[in-house]
Amino acid sequence: MNGLINYLSCGLLWLGLIVRAPDLVRHRHDPYLRAICAVLGLAGACFFLGAPPTVGAVNHLSGTPNLAAPLTYASITAYSAASQVLIVYWRGGPHVHRVTRRWIVTYAFVLLGIAVTFGLGDTPVERRTDFDTYYATTPFVAEMIVLYLVGHLAAVAVTTVSALRWARQVDGWLRAGLVTLGVGTLCNAGYSVSKLVAVVARWCGRDWSALGTTISPVAAGLGAFVTVTGVLIPPAGPRAAACVRALRTYGRLEPLERELDELLTRRALRLPRPRWASPGTRLVWRRTSIHNALGHLDALFDRTLYDRTHEAVLRETGDPGRAEATAWAAVVAAAVREERERAAGPDRPVPAPDVTDLLQDRSPDPDLLVRVAAALTTSPHVTAARLAPRGTAASGTA
């Protein structure tokens, strides 16, 4: 398990980066997308560089004991800056570029300070997990540790306050993302706070290194995941909601397609079923099949049956929407029966012109199709329409 959680966390974060990469390639000049990808990439780098096996490999390959420490601290610092820059670009305003430049320059100096103080310090003994507390009293190295921890704490504090304050002014997916981001950065603060407490305890002659080796990794992992989730909610939330709506509508249209299935198969009106397709594509396929069948049945739609069923259901329920859906379901069911009989007996006469062209006058919209599908399975009027001779009204109650 040594480092496994770090690598799994890194893999998930970089998987998110890979998912966002195509958007970045198409819109490479979008600073918001660049900031999102930077947050994902740097968050993954923090976990990767902080894993004990990676720490040992970096130290061994470089020949410098504990070189992995400043590299990890630098990635944490860069991640902190990227999170704050993301908030700035996210919110926008007239001084976006000026504010982001200030953050970038400030944390560039922090990165420089980490490099300089590590170079001036002396860390001959490799420490893979408790570097902070072990060298908390070493000249220059102690300053490096405090510098990156304070820089990290300042960034997450500002990000938390900015995100939660802004969340009160917006709503919807943006608000959900900001609240999640604020909670994530607040969890992230637990990383630097626990490390700072352990370092101060070391200055006071006490050994609280367990804070830095147990609590801070948990806080960092939880904070990173929640933060990245908050970053992804605003762009991904509407897409996920659209997929859920498409799946729900796809399923609700199934009774209508099942009613038309024999016609679709016999007349070859259905396009090939998409095997690997998004819910939206599947929904378009099902709607297309339904519309193809309705267009084929147009000449068989009984206007008289529609009007009588609509009037009967409206009288019974007082609901115009339900009356319209039930009337459509009745004429579709009757037309399917009529088409089946005509296919079995080709010599049957074509309906008179005064009962045709209903589809041209009152074509059902997508929402109505869903209600029609429901009426096919629940309305006695539809059952009666399947059995009654053409031109007679359906009987029953809605």
Side-chain angles (χ1 to χ4, degrees):
M1 293 295 291
N2 192 20
L4 178 60
I5 295 178
N6 285 65
Y7 292 134
L8 288 175
S9 303
C10 173
L12 289 173
L13 290 165
W14 282 352
L15 179 61
L17 176 60
I18 292 173
V19 171
R20 298 295 298 180
D23 292 335
L24 181 62
V25 172
R26 289 191 296 268
H27 309 284
R28 61 178 60 90
H29 299 298
D30 186 342
Y32 173 66
L33 277 175
R34 291 203 300 264
I36 288 180
C37 292
V39 168
L40 292 171
L42 290 170
C46 294
F47 283 106
F48 180 78
L49 293 173
T54 304
V55 172
V58 170
N59 294 338
H60 174 72
L61 293 174
S62 66
T64 303
N66 299 302
L67 178 63
L71 293 179
T72 304
Y73 299 162
S75 66
I76 293 172
T77 301
Y79 165 72
S80 303
S83 298
Q84 183 56 38
V85 168
L86 175 61
I87 283 287
V88 175
Y89 276 124
W90 208 350
R91 186 161 192 174
H95 306 296
V96 169
H97 298 296
R98 183 189 307 171
V99 175
T100 54
R101 278 197 299 269
R102 288 176 181 174
W103 277 104
I104 293 172
V105 170
T106 299
Y107 276 86
F109 278 109
V110 175
L111 291 173
L112 179 61
I114 290 173
V116 171
T117 50
F118 180 78
L120 294 174
D122 184 22
T123 57
V125 180
E126 183 185 53
R127 309 299 296 187
R128 297 190 180 186
T129 59
D130 62 346
F131 180 91
D132 300 313
T133 50
Y134 187 86
Y135 287 106
T137 57
T138 302
F140 296 109
V141 180
E143 284 78 1
M144 178 191 71
I145 294 169
V146 172
L147 178 63
Y148 101 86
L149 288 175
V150 171
H152 176 265
L153 183 59
V156 296
V158 172
T159 303
T160 300
V161 172
S162 300
L164 295 180
R165 182 182 297 171
W166 184 21
R168 293 184 298 179
Q169 305 172 13
V170 295
D171 54 16
W173 289 108
L174 179 56
R175 182 173 187 174
L178 287 169
V179 171
T180 306
L181 176 62
V183 172
T185 52
L186 186 61
C187 293
N188 242 327
Y191 171 85
S192 49
V193 168
S194 59
K195 291 266 190 180
L196 281 171
V197 170
V199 168
V200 172
R202 181 72 173 84
W203 293 345
C204 298
R206 299 186 179 183
D207 183 10
W208 289 3
S209 58
L211 289 174
T213 57
T214 57
I215 295 180
S216 63
V218 173
L222 179 62
F225 277 121
V226 177
T227 298
V228 171
T229 300
V231 168
L232 296 179
I233 281 176
R239 296 181 184 178
C243 287
V244 171
R245 288 194 300 271
L247 284 173
R248 185 183 297 118
T249 304
Y250 179 84
R252 294 173 69 184
L253 286 174
E254 194 272 338
L256 180 54
E257 187 192 10
R258 186 172 62 245
E259 183 78 21
L260 301 169
D261 182 70
E262 182 184 349
L263 169 65
L264 289 166
T265 303
R266 185 172 63 251
R267 300 297 184 182
L269 299 174
R270 182 188 281 118
L271 297 174
R273 182 186 296 270
R275 294 184 178 274
W276 306 102
S278 66
T281 301
R282 289 181 177 272
L283 176 59
V284 170
W285 171 81
R286 176 159 281 179
R287 282 176 173 167
T288 301
S289 299
I290 290 171
H291 281 291
N292 288 346
L294 294 181
H296 183 82
L297 293 173
D298 186 19
L300 300 176
F301 287 150
D302 191 336
R303 186 188 299 270
T304 301
L305 175 61
Y306 178 95
D307 293 336
R308 289 180 179 177
T309 305
H310 187 279
E311 181 181 352
V313 177
L314 186 61
R315 184 171 58 253
E316 295 164 3
T317 67
D319 185 345
R322 186 173 180 180
E324 183 181 21
T326 305
W328 263 111
V331 298
V332 167
V336 169
R337 183 206 62 199
E338 178 76 12
E339 203 279 339
R340 186 186 304 116
E341 293 175 353
R342 289 184 60 203
D347 297 333
R348 289 176 61 89
V350 178
D354 62 336
V355 294
T356 60
D357 299 329
L358 178 63
L359 187 65
Q360 296 180 11
D361 296 340
R362 309 172 188 178
S363 179
D365 57 43
D367 292 335
L368 177 56
L369 286 178
V370 172
R371 301 198 301 274
V372 170
L376 281 168
T377 60
T378 60
S379 175
H381 288 280
V382 178
T383 303
R386 290 193 180 100
L387 303 174
R390 183 178 179 85
T392 62
S395 61
T397 61

